[in-house]
Amino acid sequence: MTTSLASLTASERDVLDTIDQSAMLSQVELWAAINSGSGNLDGLARTATLLAEAFAALPGDVRLVDPAPVDAVRTDGSIDAIKRGQHLVVSVRPDAPLRLLLTGHMDTVFPVDTAFQTLTWLEPGVLNGPGVADMKGGIAVMLAALRAVETSPLAALIGYDVMINSDEEVGSGSSAALIAELARGKVAALTYEPALPDGTLAGERGGSGNFSVIVTGRSAHAGRNPQDGRNALVAAADLAVRLKALTRDGLSVNPAKIDGGSANNIVPDHAILRVNFRPQSLEMQAFADAELQRLCDVVAREHDVSLHRHGSFGRPPKPIDTGAHKLFGLVKACGAALGLEISWRGTGGVCDGNNIAACGIPVVDTMGVRGGAIHSTDEFLITDSLAERAQLSALTILRLAEKRGL
């Protein structure tokens, strides 16, 4: 794909003209053919190896980082460790005056036994397949942009870390600390979640918190001595109703599941409530956290049961602050130079951009391909957007270097 718009310098045109869309598409087809669901450790390992080989084309250190420990509450109330895949990290010119962070994820939402395993052309230029947009296509965009930037005389000014994790689709629990570590000292960050089909980017994002509340009561015979029992299931249901009542402007609460119960003639002594919170601000997150604890205490006292909460707000809300607004403005200006109309709007979804923003780093987190129907068997990639979005990223990075930042 070539660009000859008058608003580009000759040097910029030379850099952008190195981007090869057919090569990018081949990468997407190769990577998407491997199932890399968040729980498929073998598929993730194969994908990580291929990505490490591809990113070795950059002039930096490529390494695979072991996941941090994470755990989860099982249906019986026990807390077990969960295995996650390794994360890919690439470090280029760590001592350069301009330091950037680029992130993506290799995992998809499709488990190893899903029927959705193949690629299909829906029409010319529209490819259907698992992870083609979210985000094997985004990874191809990131790599192509960086390879193009390396051909520029400005490359010597630009240092960057790339992080491609294996657990974004399940909350990035094993990579959150790594993201925070790599974000430290960066001027800006780009994340390669897919844009909407028309190219619209995600602006502000709400946060997300997932909790499991373990309720322990006392069993008894439902007919002989029910008064001696303490019904954990009823307590969990009461808590679910009280939490749902917290829903208001700026906060969505979704009690999603109750595990537990027993035979009809036994007062159940065990239940687990699974609940998700979606706060739109840090203030609302703090409110939700305090109310969760308060209501747990109330239910424990009124039902004479014990409650233990497990979980966290793993994705803090992501507002558009001054730095983020400047970065969005730069991306918009670069889009205009390429003949692209760039706009953005708020979304209720969450991603690693939330975590990066919480570190105080300006981030645009939908720099990936144009596509849609993600997390479904209808997921699609608009293939013309591969080179288009790679050019947008490359130009953004070059102009950050020219300005020495935002």
Side-chain angles (χ1 to χ4, degrees):
M1 181 174 179
T2 60
T3 299
S4 59
L5 297 175
S7 55
L8 299 174
T9 67
S11 177
E12 289 172 340
R13 287 193 206 100
D14 289 343
V15 170
L16 301 185
D17 284 346
T18 66
I19 293 171
D20 183 347
Q21 177 155 294
S22 63
M24 297 172 69
L25 179 57
S26 294
Q27 286 178 326
V28 175
E29 290 174 319
L30 173 65
W31 299 336
I34 300 172
N35 179 285
S36 58
S38 305
N40 181 5
L41 297 183
D42 289 341
L44 287 167
R46 291 173 58 201
T47 302
T49 297
L50 288 177
L51 293 178
E53 292 172 354
F55 277 82
L58 300 173
D61 174 61
V62 180
R63 66 189 190 276
L64 293 174
V65 178
D66 288 337
V70 291
D71 55 34
V73 178
R74 304 301 185 188
T75 57
D76 64 357
S78 62
I79 300 176
D80 292 342
I82 300 176
K83 293 182 179 180
R84 298 294 186 211
Q86 290 183 307
H87 314 303
L88 177 70
V89 175
V90 184
S91 298
V92 176
R93 289 183 292 274
D95 297 322
L98 179 72
R99 302 289 315 287
L100 304 174
L101 174 63
L102 295 91
T103 71
H105 63 86
M106 68 183 81
D107 64 323
T108 73
V109 300
F110 305 104
V112 66
D113 58 352
T114 182
F116 186 42
Q117 301 276 6
T118 58
L119 305 179
T120 304
W121 287 101
L122 300 180
E123 59 182 81
V126 181
L127 181 63
N128 163 248
V132 290
D134 187 21
M135 64 171 3
K136 307 292 175 70
I139 296 172
V141 167
M142 181 201 303
L143 178 56
L146 291 173
R147 293 187 67 173
V149 166
E150 290 298 333
T151 69
S152 168
L154 292 171
L157 302 175
I158 307 166
Y160 53 87
D161 288 323
V162 171
M163 191 283 306
I164 302 176
N165 58 2
S166 68
D167 66 339
E168 190 277 338
E169 296 292 8
V170 287
S172 302
S174 77
S175 59
L178 178 62
I179 294 169
E181 174 190 339
L182 295 174
R184 192 174 302 117
K186 300 301 192 295
V187 170
L190 303 175
T191 295
Y192 287 81
E193 295 292 340
L196 295 177
D198 66 358
T200 300
L201 307 180
E204 66 273 12
R205 292 181 182 268
S208 178
N210 290 300
F211 293 85
S212 296
V213 182
I214 304 170
V215 185
T216 303
R218 184 188 310 145
S219 63
H221 193 285
R224 180 175 297 180
N225 60 329
Q227 70 281 358
D228 294 333
R230 299 294 182 268
N231 195 310
L233 192 69
V234 170
D238 186 14
L239 179 60
V241 172
R242 292 173 188 253
L243 289 174
K244 181 60 180 176
L246 296 176
T247 298
R248 62 199 62 206
D249 288 344
L251 177 66
S252 173
V253 185
N254 183 45
K257 185 178 182 181
I258 295 179
D259 296 310
S262 188
N264 280 358
N265 61 349
I266 299 175
V267 175
D269 64 353
H270 167 74
I272 302 171
L273 171 64
R274 320 283 185 169
V275 59
N276 173 256
F277 296 87
R278 297 281 176 146
Q280 296 299 310
S281 67
L282 290 172
E283 292 77 14
M284 199 57 73
Q285 176 178 304
F287 167 79
D289 189 54
E291 284 297 292
L292 172 60
Q293 188 58 55
R294 183 184 71 82
L295 290 175
C296 282
D297 293 341
V298 168
V299 169
R301 182 174 60 253
E302 293 187 2
H303 291 266
D304 193 17
V305 297
S306 66
L307 279 77
H308 170 73
R309 53 180 276 187
H310 181 277
S312 67
F313 287 92
R315 305 287 198 196
K318 189 197 83 170
I320 300 297
D321 59 15
T322 301
H325 193 269
K326 288 181 179 179
L327 183 57
F328 270 101
L330 177 61
V331 172
K332 182 178 181 67
C334 291
L338 296 168
L340 305 174
E341 178 64 35
I342 300 295
S343 61
W344 55 89
R345 61 177 175 82
T347 175
V350 294
C351 72
D352 287 336
N354 292 69
N355 300 65
I356 295 168
C359 298
I361 308 302
V363 58
V364 175
D365 55 31
T366 40
M367 294 295 288
V369 296
R370 289 185 288 118
I374 62 173
H375 295 191
S376 81
T377 57
D378 296 321
E379 179 175 351
F380 67 90
L381 156 68
I382 299 171
T383 57
D384 281 351
S385 69
L386 287 165
E388 170 192 293
R389 282 349 223 193
Q391 289 192 341
L392 178 63
S393 277
L395 187 58
T396 299
I397 294 169
L398 291 176
R399 292 193 173 178
L400 277 168
E402 291 170 355
K403 297 174 61 177
R404 304 297 194 271
L406 291 171

